[in-house]
Amino acid sequence: MSKQSEQPSVVSRQPSLRVEENRARVDGDELAVEAPCEIRLGGRSYVLLMATPADLRHLALGFCLTEGLVASTREVLDISLGGDELPGVGPVYWADVSLPPELARRARARRAAPAATSCGLCGLESFRDLGGGIVPVRSALTVELENIQKLFKAMEEGQGIYRRTGAAHAVALGNAQGELLHLAEDVGRHNAMDKVLGMAMSEGRDLSECVCAVSGRISLEMALKAARAGLPMVSSVSAATSLGRKICEQSGVTLLGFVRQGRATIYCHPQRVLNQGEPLPGL
């Protein structure tokens, strides 16, 4: 496929029919662009993601980390980007990751078929593998609840694609003071998580000192990505699932849900969350 030099569009304006107060009018709506984005290893297809076609280098880097293909950026030799136009589909994109031969061989051996989404379960041969191979997160991080809420406010203010379309998830990384460090948006929660982790990895960020804020629920696959990356705290405006909580509990990740102004639900490892300088009681 030929390389594309232009920056991909992340929003597309399309005609629509708007009905309000029993009156119909022709209008135009901005839609979040969803496109096939293939991650390749050494020129060979590894996984096909449906994603927002921006920050694809970071997406590939974060994907390699959260799927357990690499442990650090030092193990990624190169990432090349490209794309093409397919009849009936439109623009398609790829990110080709170059790994050392042994890591590439292990990755291909783990995977028998492409997946439809970057879900955190890629490469697993059996349900018995769920949660396996995760090193428990060790971090002395403590964060005031109001600073976690401050990070969510910064994330909300930075969600440009969501404001225009209402159809994009966001993941943000912040520090203990609630300051925004990295922000990524994508039509898929999993892709947004991989992108923001790829941004942090590219800058050599110590993830054990970061707070993660997520716009969607914390399910098994999102918890696995957080744990594999070594994030000590992941929080959401929404809920956690039972398996999401279990993975966080077992891997030492502090998990918060329903983060709103002045309140939050803490599912496990509350020792990292402070309320007006005071530690919270244990569960």
Side-chain angles (χ1 to χ4, degrees):
M1 288 195 290
S2 61
K3 288 195 175 184
Q4 294 182 340
S5 58
E6 295 183 1
Q7 185 70 18
S9 298
V10 297
V11 173
S12 173
R13 190 164 185 85
Q14 301 291 333
S16 63
L17 188 65
R18 191 178 298 274
V19 180
E20 295 176 334
E21 298 179 351
N22 298 320
R23 298 181 64 182
R25 61 183 173 88
V26 176
D27 200 355
D29 266 21
E30 290 186 312
L31 304 182
V33 172
E34 181 181 26
C37 299
E38 184 180 69
I39 293 182
R40 303 174 178 179
L41 294 184
R44 296 170 59 183
S45 177
Y46 186 78
V47 65
L48 179 64
L49 313 177
M50 299 307 298
T52 301
D55 299 314
L56 295 184
R57 190 181 304 276
H58 294 134
L59 172 62
L61 185 58
F63 177 89
C64 288
L65 173 69
T66 63
E67 296 302 321
L69 306 186
V70 301
S72 73
T73 54
R74 294 189 298 274
E75 295 176 332
V76 177
L77 304 179
D78 187 33
I79 300 176
S80 59
L81 303 179
D84 209 343
E85 188 91 14
L86 292 185
V89 176
V92 295
Y93 305 90
W94 51 261
D96 193 356
V97 182
S98 177
L99 299 178
E102 181 58 23
L103 288 183
R105 185 195 66 77
R106 289 180 194 170
R108 285 192 290 268
R110 291 175 57 200
R111 185 156 194 81
T117 179
S118 168
C119 65
L121 306 182
C122 299
L124 298 183
E125 297 178 357
S126 165
F127 65 85
R128 296 180 180 85
D129 295 330
L130 290 174
I134 296 175
V135 178
V137 175
R138 308 292 183 194
S139 173
L141 179 74
T142 58
V143 185
E144 282 281 351
L145 179 57
E146 67 176 6
N147 287 341
I148 300 173
Q149 294 161 344
K150 177 182 174 183
L151 175 61
F152 271 92
K153 187 173 187 297
M155 180 177 75
E156 182 180 350
E157 292 173 350
Q159 288 180 251
I161 299 176
Y162 178 80
R163 279 199 305 275
R164 293 174 65 183
T165 68
H169 281 287
V171 177
L173 291 182
N175 59 21
Q177 290 71 47
E179 297 167 336
L180 181 67
L181 302 174
H182 304 285
L183 170 67
E185 287 186 279
D186 198 278
V187 291
R189 294 174 299 134
H190 320 104
N191 300 330
M193 174 72 91
D194 285 341
K195 285 180 179 180
V196 84
L197 291 172
M199 293 173 185
M201 291 172 68
S202 295
E203 293 194 5
R205 189 81 62 185
D206 185 352
L207 292 174
S208 70
E209 297 179 356
C210 292
V211 180
C212 181
V214 179
S215 67
R217 70 188 184 279
I218 306 297
S219 48
L220 165 69
E221 59 273 30
M222 294 294 279
L224 280 172
K225 287 181 179 293
R228 285 171 175 161
L231 288 169
M233 185 178 296
V234 61
S235 51
S236 173
V237 296
S238 186
T241 67
S242 60
L243 281 178
R245 180 192 183 280
K246 179 171 286 188
I247 290 295
C248 286
E249 184 177 34
Q250 292 177 347
S251 58
V253 177
T254 299
L255 174 61
L256 296 87
F258 298 111
V259 177
R260 303 287 194 275
Q261 195 61 39
R263 67 183 179 94
T265 299
I266 303 171
Y267 296 102
C268 57
H269 302 292
Q271 71 275 8
R272 294 193 180 99
V273 182
L274 304 178
N275 186 24
Q276 296 182 335
E278 296 295 326
L280 296 172
L283 290 172

